[in-house]
Amino acid sequence: MTSLFDPIHFGDIALANRIVMAPLTRNRAVGQLPNDLMREYYTQRADPVTGAGLIITEAAQICAEGQGYLDTPGIHTPEQVAGWRKITDAVHGAGGRIVIQLWHVGRISHVSLQPGGVAPVSSTARPALGKTFTTEGFVDCSTPRALRTDEIPGVIAAYRHAARCAIDAGFDGVEVHGANGYLLEQFLRDSINDRSDAYGGSIANRARLLVEVMQAVVAEIGGGRTGLRLSPVTPVNDAAQDSDAQALYGHVVSALAPLKLAFLHLIEGQTGGARDLSDKGVKPFDYAALRAVYGGPWLVNNGYDRVMAIEAVASGAADAVAFGKAFIANPDLTRRLREDAPLNKLVPATLYGGGASGYTDYPTLHTAAAP
Ligand code: 8OZ
């Protein structure tokens, strides 16, 4: 029987175990630059015996327009590449594996975060009802401008450029952020996408941007170094349900199967919330059916505890499990899961922004036991 603690290959990336650190926005990249504090945080979680088999970094904007929150890192300038290089070197020195999450927020942004103070871009000109975080604190998302069809190649090129930057920065690969109500999901869902060009309307049209982005990234760095995160039913960031999520995501994974991606990463249910949304009127989503039409490495996420994760891998329902909050609070999460040791509790107040407190000072079993 396969164990959560067994090694696995995600495409070209060799993982020492199947416990993955989920991408986690922490807002400590002042000036959009990766820094020494971030290096310490990731390196603490990189040990192949006590830590993650794979670290997926916090979401990093692929271009200046892709930013939606204060102090998130970029992966599109030489300075950002140089900053990330110190992090990937340290993680690799500790024996770990690390990919970077490539992010364009689309309309989940604010004019104060956009170059020139202009409107953010999206599939639509309708604003998201929700907040983002700026120097002024929490503010309403700004009304976006719908991308013109002739601007879409530039967006795809920005993903491709960011993927090249990721490899230049020493990452083992990338995870494209196709989830949580950001740009690619703003194209996917018919609850948001109101376009009448080749990128709106039918399922194939709404999936076109995502598929073209994945093709471009794979052409640049190879399928074996490229993953993708999806969240078929999450309602976060004003992403109302698609009228037929099962058909939409079935099309997406069928279209992507030939790319032989390193992994697909599924958020099951509401990101960071309930796995079952039936009491909110959301139709049950059949993740197993999606997996059956896909066939490649399958990473699952959302609210897994130790028993659920062990069972998911043992039963073959998943190849690996990503943990978010548990990895924030437990740098040695893999050791704790292996030994069935108690977990540190998360401190929500220090999740976003700030310094070392609640970031690099969670104890390991080893430090907790020290005199
Ligand atoms: C929390 C706060 C800001 C951004 C996501 C990148 O939900 C995020 C995010 C999460 O994917």
Side-chain angles (χ1 to χ4, degrees), residues 291-312:
R291 187 175 188 206
V293 295
Y294 182 67
W298 200 253
L299 172 62
V300 296
N301 172 239
N302 205 23
Y304 279 79
D305 64 16
R306 178 177 185 274
V307 170
M308 287 166 69
I310 288 172
E311 166 61 22

Side-chain angles (χ1 to χ4, degrees), residues 132-157:
T132 185
F133 192 79
T134 70
T135 49
E136 308 298 312
F138 285 98
V139 295
D140 288 341
C141 292
S142 298
T143 299
R145 170 178 80 74
L147 279 162
R148 296 190 314 270
T149 311
D150 67 3
E151 292 177 295
I152 289 189
V155 173
I156 297 167

Side-chain angles (χ1 to χ4, degrees), residues 23-25 27 59 69 101 103 177 179-180 182 229 236-237 271 352:
L24 295 154
T25 289
N27 308 80
Y69 305 83
Q101 196 189 45
W103 193 30
H177 195 341
N180 295 347
Y182 297 111
R229 195 175 208 211
V236 303
N237 288 319
T271 315
Y352 307 116

Side-chain angles (χ1 to χ4, degrees), residues 118-263:
V118 301
V121 297
S122 180
S123 60
T124 176
R126 291 177 295 148
L129 300 176
K131 303 268 183 206
T132 185
F133 192 79
T134 70
T135 49
E136 308 298 312
F138 285 98
V139 295
D140 288 341
C141 292
S142 298
T143 299
R145 170 178 80 74
L147 279 162
R148 296 190 314 270
T149 311
D150 67 3
E151 292 177 295
I152 289 189
V155 173
I156 297 167
Y159 277 96
R160 185 169 180 154
H161 170 70
R164 173 48 48 198
C165 287
I167 297 304
D168 290 349
F171 283 101
D172 296 295
V174 304
E175 175 183 89
V176 173
H177 195 341
N180 295 347
Y182 297 111
L183 182 69
L184 296 174
E185 214 175 76
Q186 291 160 27
F187 274 79
L188 285 174
R189 294 200 189 186
D190 60 8
S191 57
I192 305 174
N193 183 332
D194 55 3
R195 306 177 70 83
S196 51
D197 65 359
Y199 294 86
S202 66
I203 283 178
N205 280 2
R206 284 182 275 120
R208 190 178 308 283
L209 177 60
L210 172 63
V211 172
E212 290 182 356
V213 163
M214 297 309 292
Q215 287 168 341
V217 169
V218 167
E220 186 67 33
I221 69 170
R225 299 204 172 278
T226 304
L228 171 66
R229 195 175 208 211
L230 296 172
S231 53
V233 298
T234 199
V236 303
N237 288 319
D238 197 23
Q241 297 299 308
D242 190 83
S243 62
D244 193 346
Q246 201 73 49
L248 171 62
Y249 286 88
H251 170 85
V252 166
V253 302
S254 306
L256 296 178
L259 296 180
K260 302 253 179 293
L261 299 178
F263 61 93

Side-chain angles (χ1 to χ4, degrees), residues 1-369:
M1 215 160 55
T2 311
S3 161
L4 181 64
F5 305 100
D6 287 345
I8 188 172
H9 272 85
F10 273 3
D12 297 343
I13 311 168
L15 283 61
N17 62 64
R18 293 155 183 252
I19 298 163
V20 172
M21 182 174 170
L24 295 154
T25 289
R26 304 301 307 274
N27 308 80
R28 280 153 169 97
V30 178
Q32 298 105 64
L33 283 173
N35 55 44
D36 288 347
L37 187 62
M38 290 164 62
R39 174 174 56 183
E40 187 183 349
Y41 163 76
Y42 285 116
T43 309
Q44 285 174 340
R45 288 153 181 80
D47 184 278
V49 177
T50 65
L54 177 68
I55 293 170
I56 305 172
T57 70
E58 65 205 280
Q61 50 270 7
I62 59 160
C63 54
E65 296 78 9
Q67 186 177 0
Y69 305 83
L70 189 65
D71 294 341
T72 57
I75 181 68
H76 56 94
T77 72
E79 294 93 325
Q80 292 161 1
V81 168
W84 282 117
R85 169 58 83 170
K86 292 190 200 161
I87 294 176
T88 62
D89 280 349
V91 165
H92 290 146
R97 299 285 183 273
I98 184 166
V99 299
I100 185 166
Q101 196 189 45
L102 302 185
W103 193 30
H104 191 310
V105 295
R107 66 178 183 162
I108 308 300
S109 187
H110 187 261
V111 289
S112 67
L113 295 163
Q114 292 291 313
V118 301
V121 297
S122 180
S123 60
T124 176
R126 291 177 295 148
L129 300 176
K131 303 268 183 206
T132 185
F133 192 79
T134 70
T135 49
E136 308 298 312
F138 285 98
V139 295
D140 288 341
C141 292
S142 298
T143 299
R145 170 178 80 74
L147 279 162
R148 296 190 314 270
T149 311
D150 67 3
E151 292 177 295
I152 289 189
V155 173
I156 297 167
Y159 277 96
R160 185 169 180 154
H161 170 70
R164 173 48 48 198
C165 287
I167 297 304
D168 290 349
F171 283 101
D172 296 295
V174 304
E175 175 183 89
V176 173
H177 195 341
N180 295 347
Y182 297 111
L183 182 69
L184 296 174
E185 214 175 76
Q186 291 160 27
F187 274 79
L188 285 174
R189 294 200 189 186
D190 60 8
S191 57
I192 305 174
N193 183 332
D194 55 3
R195 306 177 70 83
S196 51
D197 65 359
Y199 294 86
S202 66
I203 283 178
N205 280 2
R206 284 182 275 120
R208 190 178 308 283
L209 177 60
L210 172 63
V211 172
E212 290 182 356
V213 163
M214 297 309 292
Q215 287 168 341
V217 169
V218 167
E220 186 67 33
I221 69 170
R225 299 204 172 278
T226 304
L228 171 66
R229 195 175 208 211
L230 296 172
S231 53
V233 298
T234 199
V236 303
N237 288 319
D238 197 23
Q241 297 299 308
D242 190 83
S243 62
D244 193 346
Q246 201 73 49
L248 171 62
Y249 286 88
H251 170 85
V252 166
V253 302
S254 306
L256 296 178
L259 296 180
K260 302 253 179 293
L261 299 178
F263 61 93
L264 263 196
H265 183 180
L266 271 293
I267 301 171
E268 299 165 334
Q270 173 163 351
T271 315
R275 293 175 53 79
D276 178 357
L277 300 171
S278 47
D279 63 344
K280 297 197 172 100
V282 177
K283 265 190 274 174
F285 190 89
D286 188 346
Y287 298 94
L290 206 60
R291 187 175 188 206
V293 295
Y294 182 67
W298 200 253
L299 172 62
V300 296
N301 172 239
N302 205 23
Y304 279 79
D305 64 16
R306 178 177 185 274
V307 170
M308 287 166 69
I310 288 172
E311 166 61 22
V313 171
S315 70
D319 295 307
V321 180
F323 293 85
K325 293 170 195 153
F327 247 123
I328 290 177
N330 299 274
D332 55 348
L333 180 64
T334 294
R335 178 178 173 196
R336 290 175 191 252
L337 295 179
R338 191 185 284 109
E339 296 178 7
D340 201 8
L343 301 185
N344 298 322
K345 283 218 173 4
L346 181 84
V347 182
T350 48
L351 278 177
Y352 307 116
S357 172
Y359 190 53
T360 51
D361 61 355
Y362 283 103
T364 62
L365 287 175
H366 177 73
T367 50

